[in-house]
């Protein structure tokens, strides 16, 4: 058991409430047929400081969002501001950024939920200060269910795109290996049972069976 020597050492416990009036909660939902993916919902509540008085709130919120994303490593994120009051303050903009690892994606798995206490000011920040076109805010919602639908759709699309890229990469490597094997010159035939094809250079197998032996998969080039 660790003994609390804070009174003797001069240390006191830290309460984030002394530094920010915004409360933060975290929820995770499993997604996909096998429920292996994780969708992270970060919920903000309380009153964001007005103008410069909100700078510490923004710094705290940004740090907590990044920490949650780094630790949980979710497949998608929803920032839920529906229970938070916000009037104005530019520094909140850094909280609204897409997580860094998704910045390169055309459709990042990321959405925002606003609420009556922050809706107008939040959308004003996005359009007037952060440069978003008001007509392109199709990732900002009033209902978390709609935000979840969008994020899960984007996760599925990005997963399919990644799988296609991986498949194309594997095929390119396989084709390069196939071309490296060269023609079947013989004169002896392949030693694979029942095969009548000629051997390739420096092998006792034909091109197809040598490919399959090394690649451990059926040859797609026949």
């Amino acid at each position: 058991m660790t003994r609390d020597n804070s009174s003797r050492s001069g240390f006191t416990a830290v309460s984030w409430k002394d530094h920010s009036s915004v409360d933060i909660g975290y929820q995770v939902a499993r997604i996909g047929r096998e429920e292996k993916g994780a969708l992270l919902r970060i919920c903000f509540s309380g009153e964001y400081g007005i103008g410069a008085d909100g700078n510490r709130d923004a710094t705290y919120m940004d740090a907590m969002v990044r920490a949650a994303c780094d630790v949980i490593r979710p497949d998608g994120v929803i920032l839920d501001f529906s229970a938070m009051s916000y009037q104005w303050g530019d520094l909140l903009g850094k909280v609204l950024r897409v997580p860094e690892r998704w910045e390169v994606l055309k459709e990042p798995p990321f959405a925002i939920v606003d609420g009556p206490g922050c809706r107008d000011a939040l959308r004003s920040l996005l359009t007037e200060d952060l440069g978003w076109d008001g007509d392109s805010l199709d990732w900002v919602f009033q209902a978390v269910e709609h935000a979840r639908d969008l994020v899960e759709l984007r996760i599925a699309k990005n997963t399919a795109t990644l799988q296609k890229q991986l498949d194309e990469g594997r095929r390119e490597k396989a084709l390069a290996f196939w071309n490296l094997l060269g023609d079947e010159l013989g004169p002896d035939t392949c030693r694979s049972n029942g095969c009548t094809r000629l051997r390739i250079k420096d092998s006792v197998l034909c091109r197809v069976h040598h490919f399959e032996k090394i690649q451990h998969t059926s040859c797609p080039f026949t």
Side-chain angles (χ1 to χ4, degrees):
M1 180 179 297
T2 302
R3 182 175 298 175
D4 183 5
N5 293 320
S6 58
S7 59
R8 284 193 301 165
S9 63
F11 288 98
T12 58
V14 172
S15 172
W16 292 119
K17 292 183 180 298
D18 295 335
H19 301 276
S20 174
S21 58
V22 176
D23 292 320
I24 305 176
Y26 307 91
Q27 300 175 357
V28 173
R30 295 299 168 185
I31 55 177
R33 292 182 179 179
E34 300 180 1
E35 295 190 340
K36 290 184 177 180
L39 173 58
L40 175 63
R41 177 187 181 188
I42 304 179
C43 305
F44 304 96
S45 59
E47 187 171 344
Y48 184 96
I50 298 176
D53 288 340
N55 288 352
R56 287 205 301 180
D57 294 323
T59 300
Y60 168 60
M61 294 163 67
D62 180 51
M64 295 300 102
V65 168
R66 287 188 286 109
C69 290
D70 288 344
V71 172
I72 298 174
R73 302 294 293 177
D75 298 283
V77 171
I78 296 172
L79 299 184
D80 189 344
F81 298 94
S82 59
M84 191 183 83
S85 173
Y86 166 71
Q87 296 185 43
W88 68 278
D90 296 349
L91 205 60
L92 182 63
K94 68 179 183 179
V95 183
L96 308 181
R97 295 177 303 182
V98 172
E100 185 176 348
R101 64 192 174 104
W102 296 326
E103 288 180 347
V104 298
L105 297 178
K106 183 178 180 181
E107 295 183 284
F110 176 80
I112 287 174
V113 178
D114 60 24
C118 66
R119 180 166 300 125
D120 292 342
L122 199 62
R123 290 176 182 260
S124 176
L125 176 65
L126 287 167
T127 56
E128 297 180 17
D129 294 279
L130 300 181
W132 284 91
D133 182 352
D135 295 331
S136 67
L137 297 180
D138 57 350
W139 44 276
V140 181
F141 300 90
Q142 296 183 24
V144 68
E145 294 82 4
H146 297 158
R148 178 172 181 171
D149 287 343
L150 175 78
V151 173
E152 290 193 357
L153 176 62
R154 289 186 171 186
I155 290 172
K157 291 174 66 176
N158 290 332
T159 299
T161 298
L162 176 60
Q163 186 60 54
K164 181 180 179 181
Q165 292 172 346
L166 291 174
D167 291 343
E168 290 175 349
R170 282 194 287 264
R171 181 176 176 81
E172 288 177 2
K173 289 181 179 179
L175 181 59
F177 180 70
W178 171 258
N179 291 332
L180 184 65
L181 296 179
D183 296 330
E184 297 169 337
L185 302 175
D188 296 331
T189 58
C190 175
R191 285 192 181 178
S192 181
N193 188 32
C195 182
T196 59
R197 300 172 68 116
L198 298 177
R199 300 179 185 179
I200 60 172
K201 184 180 179 181
D202 300 324
S203 176
V204 297
L205 300 172
C206 67
R207 195 178 189 185
V208 172
H209 287 114
H210 188 96
F211 177 95
E212 293 178 345
K213 182 177 178 62
I214 300 301
Q215 296 292 320
H216 303 291
T217 185
S218 59
C219 181
F221 305 116
T222 57

